Amino acid sequence: MDVSGGLLLFMIICISCLMLFRHGKSWKKERQLPPGPTPLPLIGNLLQLNMKDMVKSLSMLSEKYGSVYTIYLGSQPSIVLYGYKAVKEALIDQGDEFSGRGEFPVVFRFTQGNGIAFTNGEKWKNLRRFALQTLRNFGVGKRTVEQRIQEEAYYLVQEFKKTNEKPFDPTFVMSKAVSNVICSVVFGNRFDYQDKSFLALLSLINENFQLMSSVWGTLYNIFPNLMYYLPGPHNKIFSNFEKLKLFVLERIKMHDELFDANCPRDFIDCFLTKMKQEEKNPQSSFHTETLVMTTHNLFFGGTETVSTTLRYGFLILMKYPEIQAKVHEEIERVIGRNRCPSIEDRSRMPYSDAVIHEVQRFADIIPMSLPHRVIRDTQFQGYTLPMGTNIIPVLTSVHYDPTQYKNPNVFDPQNFLDDKVCLKKKDAFMPFSSGKRICLGESLARMELFLYFTTILQNFQLKPLVSPEKIDLTPQCSGLGNVPRPYQFCVLAR
Ligand code: D3G
């Protein structure tokens, strides 16, 4: 070995020792953390985790380490909560302590802590309070939005009819219908289904949900400092987010130009009003960056999760035609053919309601929630979790908890029906997560799911292109989301 080779080797040994020493120190500090697999310097528990299916790895680790354990994603510890009991005790019983948003680098690189879904502290509290109030003022959870969804469901039916019983992929027509509801509330208008630029935006959202659910999104979240410099599909996430941001910025500019304080048209106008009211407050949570990112979060979150659930739901109903037939029967009996479904019908349609709940449980669209963190030093199940520790509440482990559901791997609407065939509420049902970070669009999403499902099934029978046994319900990829495999189907007029 020559001198430079020796020097290089010496330096590598020094750096490795330094890292092991640093790791050892932080280990000591974290010695009160729950048990878990031994991490390696820098890569943490990478060797124990399958990037393609994190939930499966977390499930296997829970068999050895129990319902609360520590894993290292890179050099960062995260506490995994596995099973209904652990998730409930954290997110509900100790809801305040567990109310922080954990690290999510793939989104943070873009939002810089300014979007409502990915911010913390007073900023988050102020934005959340404001958003909930403003969404309510624009009719979310009320008749105004119900009518908006009914109108959109009508357009959706017209689009389905245009297919003339020929096969088609429902992805984008569904995201157009779903997105138009949040667009009406946030931007003040819906978009025409033929609008090419609207379709382009929805493609960006759809692609980002897929990329964030792929190995690349998962790797970025674990090794942001390395992935930042590496080429690969993950870089598309950021260019797509930038394009979405440009669109949002343009809409905000248009709102600013036509702004009339006496006549707020939508969420953006109300935010602009709030910005003007707090102009002199340097601590204000309401400024252009929080407006842009909050609008983006509502647009993204309000589009992709509901349309993915509906897309998964159609696939499930085609796999189980006897369940689809029972929904048809209930719609026929309760609503008939001469009027459109309304939210009032829901209480008289326990079977359809149970099917929708079961779709949400089974499809389990956001399997690990969005990451949480504890906002102060927290005692939990005999451990001390230092302030800021990341928390992974595994929602799959709630939805597939054998102590809560008889045969969790089987799709069965009876999970949500009692002996009297009434809807049975289950505590272990958290598709919107739970506690203080529960999805702020929950009531809007539930309305959309009910009205779109029932309106489509009132008008059509869903017919697969392959025999039901051949339909594969396992996700195409699983990360941030569980994304269903792409498919085409025919819709036959009833
Ligand atoms: C992702 C990126 C930007 N804004 C929102 C999201 C997101 C993912 C899942 C949900 O929101 C929950 N509705």
Side-chain angles (χ1 to χ4, degrees), residues 314-345:
F314 294 156
L315 197 60
I316 293 170
L317 288 184
M318 289 192 289
K319 183 150 183 91
Y320 303 108
E322 64 291 353
I323 294 177
Q324 184 178 166
K326 280 176 136 183
V327 177
H328 278 141
E329 185 280 320
E330 189 176 58
I331 293 174
E332 191 79 31
R333 182 161 41 81
V334 178
I335 305 173
R337 307 232 163 169
N338 301 327
R339 65 172 183 85
C340 68
S342 69
I343 286 299
E344 249 199 313
D345 295 319

Side-chain angles (χ1 to χ4, degrees), residues 119 135 154 210 233 280 347 361 404 432 444 449 463 476 484:
T119 185
L135 292 181
Y154 170 81
Q210 289 218 19
K280 299 214 166 66
S347 57
R361 177 194 78 82
Q404 303 296 312
F432 302 100
L444 180 60
L449 289 176
K463 201 166 158 295
Q476 180 193 30

Side-chain angles (χ1 to χ4, degrees), residues 196-354:
K196 291 261 168 28
S197 52
F198 185 43
L199 178 63
L201 294 171
L202 297 177
S203 305
L204 297 173
I205 292 179
N206 178 271
E207 187 176 35
N208 266 16
F209 191 63
Q210 289 218 19
L211 283 168
M212 288 195 285
S213 306
S214 72
V215 177
W216 296 96
T218 306
L219 273 173
Y220 193 94
N221 279 329
I222 301 180
F223 302 110
N225 297 333
L226 176 67
M227 295 299 284
Y228 186 94
Y229 296 101
L230 293 186
H234 57 288
N235 291 304
K236 195 84 198 287
I237 300 176
F238 309 110
S239 58
N240 286 351
F241 272 153
E242 275 313 314
K243 288 182 195 157
L244 285 166
K245 181 177 171 180
L246 280 181
F247 166 76
V248 171
L249 271 172
E250 200 183 299
R251 301 295 301 198
I252 291 172
K253 208 168 136 230
M254 280 161 62
H255 275 69
D256 215 8
E257 280 161 10
L258 297 170
F259 180 74
D260 175 359
N262 299 317
C263 183
R265 295 158 293 180
D266 46 41
F267 184 87
I268 294 182
D269 270 353
C270 292
F271 205 106
L272 288 171
T273 307
K274 189 85 176 165
M275 276 167 63
K276 289 181 206 305
Q277 282 165 2
E278 299 205 1
E279 224 161 27
K280 299 214 166 66
N281 172 9
Q283 309 293 332
S284 174
S285 308
F286 300 88
H287 41 81
T288 308
E289 276 307 295
T290 49
L291 169 56
V292 174
M293 291 308 166
T294 298
T295 306
H296 173 267
N297 285 170
L298 295 177
F299 184 31
F300 192 109
T303 297
E304 203 50 31
T305 34
V306 174
S307 62
T308 304
T309 308
L310 287 165
R311 202 160 81 243
Y312 232 133
F314 294 156
L315 197 60
I316 293 170
L317 288 184
M318 289 192 289
K319 183 150 183 91
Y320 303 108
E322 64 291 353
I323 294 177
Q324 184 178 166
K326 280 176 136 183
V327 177
H328 278 141
E329 185 280 320
E330 189 176 58
I331 293 174
E332 191 79 31
R333 182 161 41 81
V334 178
I335 305 173
R337 307 232 163 169
N338 301 327
R339 65 172 183 85
C340 68
S342 69
I343 286 299
E344 249 199 313
D345 295 319
R346 186 156 54 185
S347 57
R348 286 179 285 138
M349 298 173 70
Y351 190 77
S352 305
D353 205 4

Side-chain angles (χ1 to χ4, degrees), residues 24-89:
K25 252 179 41 180
S26 62
W27 254 345
K28 270 193 196 139
K29 211 172 80 197
E30 289 152 7
R31 68 185 181 278
Q32 288 169 307
L33 291 181
T38 308
L40 292 172
L42 287 182
I43 63 168
N45 293 120
L46 187 67
L47 302 181
Q48 283 95 346
L49 299 169
N50 175 0
M51 297 292 111
K52 278 196 181 154
D53 194 346
M54 283 288 279
V55 172
K56 183 132 181 259
S57 306
L58 298 183
S59 162
M60 275 153 61
L61 288 170
S62 81
E63 283 169 22
K64 181 157 183 203
Y65 297 102
S67 58
V68 180
Y69 62 89
T70 307
I71 54 164
Y72 282 78
L73 302 177
S75 45
Q76 282 266 12
S78 283
I79 309 304
V80 178
L81 306 176
Y82 202 89
Y84 168 67
K85 187 171 171 287
V87 172
K88 178 228 172 223
E89 284 177 10

